[in-house]
Amino acid sequence: MSNILDNLNSEQRLPAEQKNGAILVTAGAGSGKTRMLTHRIAHLVFDENVPTYNILAITFTNKAANEMKERLERMLGDVSAMWICTFHAMCSRILRREAENIGYTSNFSIYTDVEKDRTIKRILENKNTNINADTIGWHISNAKNHLMDPEEYSQYIPDPKKRDVITKCFQEYEATLKHCNALDFDDLLNKTYELFRTKPDVLTYYQDKFKYIHVDEFQDTNKAQYELIRLLSEKYGNVFVVGDEDQCIYSWRGADVTNVNSFTKDFKDVKIFKLEQNYRSTKKILEIANKLIKRNQNRLDKLLWTENGEGTKVETHTTYNETEEAEYVAETVKNLVSYYGYKYSDFAVLMRVNSLSRMIEEKFITYGVPYKVYGGFKFFERKEIKDVIAYLRLIHNPHDDEATRRMLAFPKRGIGDVAVANLAMVAEETDKSMYDCIVEGLLEDRQAKKFEPVKDLLIDLKQKCDTMPLYDFVEYVINKVDFKGAIGDKTDEDQNKQMNIDDFLLSVKEYEDANEGATLEDYLQSITLMRDVDNLDQEEDFASIITVHAAKGLEFKVVFIIGLNDGLFPLSRAVNSDDPNELEEERRLMYVAITRAKERLYLTRARTRFSFETKRSEYTLPSRFLKECGEDEENQNSKAVRSNYDGEFVPRRFSEENDNLFNTASRANISKPATSVSQIKKNNVDFSAFKKGTKVRHPHFGEGVVTVEVTDFSAGFVTIKFDSVGMKTLSLKYANLEIID
């Protein structure tokens, strides 16, 4: 017996050394479940002689999968035969191999939410209804997550008019996807389940392959995922699941917290273990987390504890408005970095809704805090990137009509909506793809001439795809289509788009370097299944602005949870709902946010917030979660401050008992924004030196060139185009810029 399990504590070791049977581990936040999982797998291979190809490990994110793979490689060496992936990646891999068994070809496209939405909107054009695409899309996804076809799902829509529209749209959507040889994200699960149910020999093959199954974040599985695990483990019964019902936060996309309870009923002789020791957070942070979550009724009883120190007091702060809230966050980050040795990557600002990020971004720019936003607009969803990807998708899967439409739209070729509509009609009449109609010249003579250059381009790209390495081909496509020329370079935005094209090429190069023999299919699949947070690299010195949902599974030394007002967190929908489960899910979400923090936790709210309904600032109530944590206003160390008479923010200071965070030195550096030339000189910042074209260096963004010089000396903002991160608008007071000769 090796010493692989010796580094686990007694709670972790007990489940890890179980070889066979169904095992459920309820693991609290920060309890070392990933460590326990990897050691368990290593133990199976090294001590129990289980071949690596007989092991399946399903994780919640690609990032988690990569981290687990790296850990196992350090422990075992080559683990390439082991499947370590997300549910969607597993299903995609299976379907690529087995597609013909369900009436598809292996080069099927995977539609993102963007393509799904565009397809539904096109279907709705012919419907006389006020039901929008988002609603239709939600119903389609809900049906698929519950393994229902359009007819089955229609029974659960009480309104006859809505039922008819939703069912017809669902049917047309499915027909469109089939015609385009495309699947959406939900289909990856749904079709794999269909494959296993209809092809017993295929199911048997994968049952024999995956004799030992592991599932992380089991509480976030939906019905389709649960059933897939049940089918795969049916033959051997060796399934090891780790979950925490207190962290179930995805019910809106089908996650079912009751799956944890169902597991004990559906699997034979289930062994149950608890992990309650927390290795991440301080005692003070865990204290409020436990206070909060114990109010939920639908949970297994457990209490997180730690041998870590007491830590600093959890800080709760109320500001007058959202501007001051953001200023407080930026100010605190700056001072912790300056005087307490923190890096920017140690910080995360968590929010319930994405819209709260704008003000934080503005203040981070003002204070010179480098940051990245996650859970928002993703790189691969930018228009210019989606345009490039459309060409690649089409060459890979000529049946993808959605990609054809996008390809025809950019760059402009004199092919208008009427011509595209005629092309679509011919495709429907001939039961061919739009691509085939172009290449085969099935349009009438006058129309055919318009498409002749496109025909030549597609034939050329298809030929090159079959003969060129991945990076060379993608570079060829970009140059052949002349994306940069079509974008132009007249504005800063144009230049940013061109730089994004370069970044895209770099991502292809990095993928090819990391994956020997990588194909276009491999790359398209990798970026389609990628989540925004999969790119979060805490080795880079950027603060993270991130939604709580996107922060799941991550940890940071310092966490700010902002917008703690009833109606924002928890959402008004949950506050006003008759269903107690909605508020319980919001409470679990708050629990997840709290338990991301390792050393310091700040809870903030604004007394007033601007309302877009009334077009004015409205007074708000504090989040009920503050009181449930024991952090209501009576226990706060600081009070709300109003703006002074001329509307400028007067920064709040910490008191002596608040850790002396702001000492005399820091107060001198974080002062009111300069309002006169004399104040500017006093702060030793010569704004006039930063002329347009001046080369500068930033401590985090690197070198850049001033594109918009200072014109308003009361603000002192300057716009710089950096080589590494593109355009940034910074405050000269806080940016610490160096002029390069």
Side-chain angles (χ1 to χ4, degrees), residues 578-689:
D578 294 328
D579 183 0
N581 290 321
E582 291 207 29
L583 189 59
E584 288 213 352
E585 173 134 348
E586 290 289 304
R587 191 174 287 112
R588 291 194 296 268
L589 196 58
M590 179 68 176
Y591 175 80
V592 167
I594 291 170
T595 54
R596 298 312 93 197
K598 298 171 69 175
E599 297 177 4
R600 294 175 182 264
L601 176 64
Y602 298 85
L603 311 176
T604 73
R605 80 169 186 97
R607 237 184 246 288
T608 64
R609 290 189 181 274
F610 184 79
S611 169
F612 287 95
E613 292 182 8
T614 63
K615 306 299 181 187
R616 59 187 176 90
S617 289
E618 303 274 358
Y619 279 94
T620 62
L621 293 173
S623 169
R624 62 195 61 201
F625 295 155
L626 289 171
K627 188 172 184 179
E628 293 176 3
C629 289
E631 296 294 315
D632 54 321
E633 286 195 357
E634 293 180 3
N635 296 320
Q636 289 189 38
N637 291 323
S638 59
K639 303 299 180 184
V641 260
R642 294 186 65 98
S643 300
N644 67 359
Y645 70 94
D646 62 0
E648 293 181 327
F649 175 68
V650 181
R652 182 204 333 268
R653 307 299 176 197
F654 283 81
S655 60
E656 293 287 332
E657 64 264 29
N658 282 342
D659 212 23
N660 286 315
L661 182 60
F662 289 84
N663 56 27
T664 305
S666 67
R667 294 184 187 208
N669 289 329
I670 307 292
S671 57
K672 268 176 72 173
T675 57
S676 67
V677 174
S678 63
Q679 284 178 290
I680 292 165
K681 290 178 179 177
K682 192 175 178 180
N683 288 318
N684 297 317
V685 181
D686 182 9
F687 288 5
S688 64

Side-chain angles (χ1 to χ4, degrees), residues 227-249:
E227 289 299 319
L228 283 170
I229 293 302
R230 191 181 60 78
L231 286 172
L232 281 171
S233 61
E234 223 171 28
K235 186 172 182 179
Y236 295 96
N238 299 322
V239 57
F240 190 102
V241 303
V242 184
D244 180 10
E245 70 282 0
D246 290 337
Q247 297 187 73
C248 181
I249 59 174

Side-chain angles (χ1 to χ4, degrees), residues 478-489:
I478 289 171
N479 292 333
K480 183 75 174 179
V481 178
D482 192 20
F483 277 96
K484 289 186 176 181
I487 291 170
D489 60 356

Side-chain angles (χ1 to χ4, degrees), residues 401-538:
D401 286 353
E402 186 59 44
T404 303
R405 291 176 184 274
R406 189 158 196 133
M407 178 272 299
L408 292 172
F410 187 87
K412 300 291 185 184
R413 301 184 174 88
I415 300 175
D417 293 343
V418 174
V420 175
N422 288 336
L423 174 64
M425 185 174 65
V426 172
E428 186 175 357
E429 290 173 350
T430 59
D431 196 25
K432 291 179 178 288
S433 69
M434 294 167 70
Y435 173 101
D436 286 339
C437 291
I438 296 171
V439 172
E440 295 175 17
L442 300 183
L443 298 167
E444 296 179 1
D445 290 344
R446 190 164 62 106
Q447 291 287 339
K449 287 182 180 179
K450 283 188 177 182
F451 287 94
E452 197 68 33
V454 179
K455 173 183 175 180
D456 295 339
L457 174 66
L458 292 177
I459 292 173
D460 177 60
L461 294 182
K462 189 67 175 173
Q463 290 173 344
K464 294 294 191 298
C465 182
D466 295 333
T467 59
M468 299 175 76
L470 173 61
Y471 176 83
D472 293 345
F473 172 68
V474 176
E475 185 179 42
Y476 181 83
V477 172
I478 289 171
N479 292 333
K480 183 75 174 179
V481 178
D482 192 20
F483 277 96
K484 289 186 176 181
I487 291 170
D489 60 356
K490 294 181 180 178
T491 67
D492 290 339
E493 185 180 357
D494 290 342
Q495 293 176 29
N496 273 338
K497 288 180 177 180
Q498 291 197 6
M499 290 170 65
N500 287 336
I501 298 290
D502 290 336
D503 284 345
F504 178 77
L505 260 177
L506 179 62
S507 80
V508 176
K509 183 71 169 71
E510 289 173 345
Y511 183 83
E512 189 176 55
D513 290 344
N515 300 273
E516 188 176 351
T519 64
L520 179 60
E521 178 179 291
D522 297 332
Y523 178 71
L524 288 174
Q525 178 163 304
S526 74
I527 62 174
T528 304
L529 298 178
M530 186 183 294
R531 290 176 67 215
D532 201 19
V533 293
D534 292 332
N535 294 319
L536 193 154
D537 183 0
Q538 289 178 276

